[in-house]
Amino acid sequence: MSIGEDLDDRALVARFLGTRDEASFRMLYRRYTPAMYGLALRLLSRRSDAEDVVQEAWIRATERLGGFRWDASIRTWLSSIVVNCCREASRTDWRWISEENPASEGRALAVPALELTVDVDRAIAKLPSGCRSVFVLHDIEGRTHQEIGTLLDIDPGTSKSQLFHARRHLRSLLQ
Amino acid sequence: MSEFRHDIDPPAALEERVVARLRSRGLVRPAKQRSGMVVAAVTAAVMCLGIGYAAGLWHGGVVALPLDTGPEFILLLHDTPELAANPAGGRVEEYRRWAQQVSADGYAIRGEKLKDVPGQTLAGFFIVQAPSREAAEALAATCPHARLGGRIEIREIDPT
């Protein structure tokens, strides 16, 4: 991220916090929601669930934005909120690859995937929700296992294990 | 794999839903602050609308909508056989609460019930000011008329 882009984000957030006006919020929304929605869609697979998560994530973000200390980019902070909302949304359907459940059952990813990524996106959607989250957060979003452990409330060792299983399963799906 | 981190544009209507939700919670201030007098007038008109509908007439009262706050849309409420199964008296409170909530969310709104004409499906209308057609469609989707099985036709008003 360039310094100029970082200053624009800070200025926009500061303006929104100072006025709480709708125009400032819409600029924030339009800048970050495509990334938030993309992440939610990959973690949950269903459009309606992803939309609900985006809505809930923005409610929490606007409530807490005043306390944001810029120790990470605002995009990273917002994605953390999305991940937490996704966990809550799918709490009853959180499944992991285990030795007892090697075959994954996934929901079809109903998104307008880019032509070059359609196979990968569909394969990711077929992973069980738990290891899919680890894979998306590590290999696509670039999070560390420590960060993933905090976000998903799992041990970093579990994160590494699930990533191993996810990558192995994806290879078999993409062959 | 990070090259597969492509953003996905959300549905256009989602923005209006999110903004409306934040407005209702006081987390975002409406685009145009209306004076207390205008808000009171709209609220009074909506209450008259509900009382008149209960009496079989829908005398909503005329409230001039602000002309400088974006396009206006008319929501034409058509009856359907499914809707006819719901007694009109039972719908009064729902329509009134919905209009009050729309007003509280920052939208100017008025409505009228039309007298029944045999063979005609048009039963009433709302006129609402919204920033875009997508916003008007999102609002219409929340109207009790849609949930109860009625059909809502949306037309943008051509200011003349």
Side-chain angles (χ1 to χ4, degrees), chain B residues 85-133:
Chain B
N86 290 293
R91 303 203 305 256
V92 169
E93 189 59 29
E94 284 192 79
Y95 282 71
R96 183 158 63 90
R97 275 203 306 269
W98 176 76
Q100 287 177 335
Q101 183 58 52
V102 170
S103 176
D105 284 345
Y107 297 96
I109 184 170
R110 58 169 279 210
E112 301 282 359
K113 182 187 182 301
L114 302 178
K115 287 188 177 178
D116 293 335
V117 174
Q120 298 286 326
T121 63
L122 188 60
F125 66 88
F126 283 105
I127 293 177
V128 61
Q129 175 273 322
S132 66
R133 185 182 177 85

Side-chain angles (χ1 to χ4, degrees), chain A residues 97-148:
Chain A
I97 286 181
S98 66
E99 293 305 317
E100 292 76 29
N101 180 27
S104 68
E105 296 172 18
R107 291 165 290 188
L109 186 66
V111 294
L114 299 173
E115 188 175 329
L116 293 176
T117 64
V118 58
D119 290 337
V120 174
D121 277 343
R122 286 177 180 163
I124 292 171
K126 291 181 180 178
L127 294 172
S129 52
C131 65
R132 179 171 72 231
S133 300
V134 171
F135 177 82
V136 168
L137 289 171
H138 187 277
D139 281 5
I140 297 181
E141 294 289 319
R143 301 294 193 119
T144 66
H145 288 295
Q146 195 70 39
E147 291 172 331
I148 293 170

Side-chain angles (χ1 to χ4, degrees), chain A residues 66-102:
Chain A
F68 181 55
R69 278 176 258 135
W70 296 97
D71 45 7
S73 73
I74 190 161
R75 178 176 171 135
T76 298
W77 181 69
L78 289 169
S79 68
S80 299
I81 296 176
V82 168
V83 169
N84 283 326
C85 291
C86 286
R87 285 183 63 205
E88 292 168 21
S90 62
R91 196 173 291 279
T92 60
D93 195 30
W94 208 253
R95 284 178 288 173
W96 307 89
I97 286 181
S98 66
E99 293 305 317
E100 292 76 29
N101 180 27

Side-chain angles (χ1 to χ4, degrees), chain A residues 16 19-20 22 25-26 29-30 33-35 37-38 42 51-52 54-55 58-59 62-63 75 114 117 120-121 135 139-141, chain B residues 1-12 14-19 21-23 25-32 107 131:
Chain A
F16 172 70
T19 63
R20 288 273 171 181
E22 185 178 309
F25 172 74
R26 286 183 186 271
Y29 177 94
R30 290 167 188 171
T33 299
Y37 184 65
R42 284 192 184 84
E51 290 175 22
D52 290 345
V54 166
Q55 184 172 254
W58 274 117
I59 290 172
T62 52
E63 288 174 341
R75 178 176 171 135
L114 299 173
T117 64
V120 174
D121 277 343
F135 177 82
D139 281 5
I140 297 181
E141 294 289 319
Chain B
M1 268 285 175
S2 61
E3 66 268 24
F4 292 104
R5 189 173 100 176
H6 55 94
D7 296 349
I8 300 175
D9 287 334
L14 180 59
E15 179 173 336
E16 302 309 321
R17 273 174 45 202
V18 172
V19 170
R21 189 86 186 275
L22 295 182
R23 259 200 236 115
R25 288 174 171 243
L27 294 169
V28 164
R29 287 195 292 112
K32 184 98 178 177
Y107 297 96

